[in-house]
Amino acid sequence: MCPASGGKASSSGSFIIRHFTAINIPVFDNGGRLAWILNSVEEVDDTPRLKTATLSQEETTASQSYTRTRELVRLNRELVLQAGHDREVSRILQEAMLTELPEPDDLHILARYVPNTEADQVGGDWYDAVELPSGVIMVAVGDVVGHDINAAASMGQVRGLLRALAWDRQEPPSELLARVERVMAGLKLDTLATAVLGHIGRPDSEGIRRFRWTNAGHPLPILVSMDGTIEVLDTRNDPPLGTGFLPSRHDHFHLLNPGSTLIFYTDGLIERRNQSRDKGMDKVVDAIHWNYQLPLNRLLDQIINVAGNAPDDDIAVLAIRMSPISNQQHPNSQ
């Protein structure tokens, strides 16, 4: 409140001192940020004054407006508290699903997850890497449609299915993803998701690994060699998971040389409201070109920086760097 004084001339020519107070009421949006300030000015006086029992129309309207404003502020605060609770539940759920990555001796695996700062929510983006009993490293990145608790929960179900089925038996990525989709359909898991799933084999005598993967409507993986050569693994994409039909899925193959780095990501990294998807991809490739020699954690920082301080969507990035010499750690992986 900000008290103020004013004067009004009486019929005798003297002034009557009157006091006013200004009331400023903040109104917040669902994200907890200040959206409006409601202002009300009321007259106050320490001296009791005689008032008529009946308020004027103007006074009645002002009183009703003030009462309604107070009620709106109360409701707004309740909504802010509820929104904050929902965001906290989503964040905890997301963190529970994004478990620690394996640390094999001859590979360095790192990931980043950045929530959509505009909505301050977490949703269906995820990454995963598991060392299977055969010694093969399963890697996956996916994106479930939505940005709320339901999307985070659906993401957890899809990711859990993938982990369990991958451990259950050894099969090509395309067959594993097809089996995940059949289980989703059988359990009536009503969600739509893109995903890229791959297997990174053990190195041969020259340190070369075989990468086998399948892609369900997801952005393309990027491979950068030790000398800086960048290759977008542009292959045929199969439909996303959960489309309502069970298509035949396909596997793709590529050799991974010692010292190369394989990068997966979700579409929040390359998509913007004010730019094309191709332009976003060009920016990511440029960031890799100028920073591929950096340690893996700093390379990921530079890739994430492409999205700016306020990404339009959640972002997940997963990177795997092959050791330049078999069974020895890459010197830049620290």
Side-chain angles (χ1 to χ4, degrees), residues 14 32 45 179 187 297 328:
S14 62
D45 199 323
R179 196 151 58 104
L187 296 178
N297 61 332
Q328 293 187 13

Side-chain angles (χ1 to χ4, degrees), residues 84-96 113 120-123 147-150 152 155:
H85 174 265
D86 288 349
R87 287 195 303 274
E88 181 65 11
V89 170
S90 295
R91 183 189 64 79
I92 293 172
L93 181 58
Q94 185 83 44
E95 290 178 353
Y113 175 81
D120 198 19
Q121 296 176 340
V122 291
H147 298 92
D148 53 21
I149 295 177
N150 291 330
M155 174 273 293

